[in-house]
Amino acid sequence: MRTYPTNSPRAAARIVALTMLADGHFCKSELEALDRLNAHKLLDISPAKLQTVVQDLCEDLFSTGHQNWGAACLDPATLSGLLVEIDNPELRITVLNLCTAVVKADAHVAEREVNMLATVYAQWQLPNTNSGSRRLAAGPQHA
């Protein structure tokens, strides 16, 4: 897995991309949610570079033998290493908000998506770890 500078737009975008892949596929509604929220502006990355991050992530997953997509397929140490690349509290909240929007976008919350968000909350030591995961697991909520 390639590395990015700490708190870089690419590191942040990759976490969002991992969340998009957590249920095993990209969904048009997830991409539309990111567009609606101006994710590229929030992450300070051009739409083209955001697309490149997603493509690079897919290549990394294939090259490391992760034939099943998603963050749930990464070993905990690898996922932890990717999450460490974001240590700015404000950026963490921005990334988490985008990840949550992606999870809610298709009106179906998969267990692997809940697990991804729970891992992010836990590692980044954000409040409401369990309640946030339980709300998502309880069913889709519309933003």
Side-chain angles (χ1 to χ4, degrees):
M1 215 34 86
R2 64 195 81 204
T3 59
Y4 296 120
T6 302
N7 298 317
S8 69
R10 288 181 181 195
R14 178 171 46 199
I15 302 304
V16 176
L18 278 167
T19 303
M20 290 176 68
L21 284 173
D23 64 356
H25 64 280
F26 284 113
C27 179
K28 182 179 178 186
S29 61
E30 294 170 342
L31 296 170
E32 290 170 347
L34 292 179
D35 285 343
R36 206 172 36 255
L37 294 169
N38 291 311
H40 67 281
K41 289 182 182 178
L42 293 171
L43 297 174
D44 194 26
I45 191 170
S46 72
K49 284 187 180 177
L50 179 58
Q51 185 176 10
T52 299
V53 169
V54 173
Q55 182 177 344
D56 290 347
L57 172 62
C58 293
E59 290 173 4
D60 287 349
L61 290 171
F62 274 128
S63 70
T64 57
H66 292 96
Q67 301 305 317
N68 294 319
W69 293 99
C73 296
L74 292 178
D75 63 274
T78 300
L79 181 54
S80 179
L82 300 179
L83 291 171
V84 164
E85 291 180 346
I86 308 297
D87 65 9
N88 177 291
E90 290 178 14
L91 183 56
R92 284 179 171 181
I93 295 299
T94 298
V95 168
L96 184 62
N97 286 338
L98 292 172
C99 290
T100 302
V102 163
V103 168
K104 292 179 178 181
D106 63 1
H108 176 306
V109 179
E111 182 178 347
R112 288 172 24 170
E113 292 172 322
V114 172
N115 292 342
M116 173 65 183
L117 290 180
T119 299
V120 172
Y121 272 106
Q123 181 157 336
W124 287 351
Q125 298 180 343
L126 297 170
N128 300 320
T129 300
N130 293 330
S131 63
S133 296
R134 277 192 221 122
R135 274 196 307 272
L136 284 170
Q141 299 176 13
H142 301 284

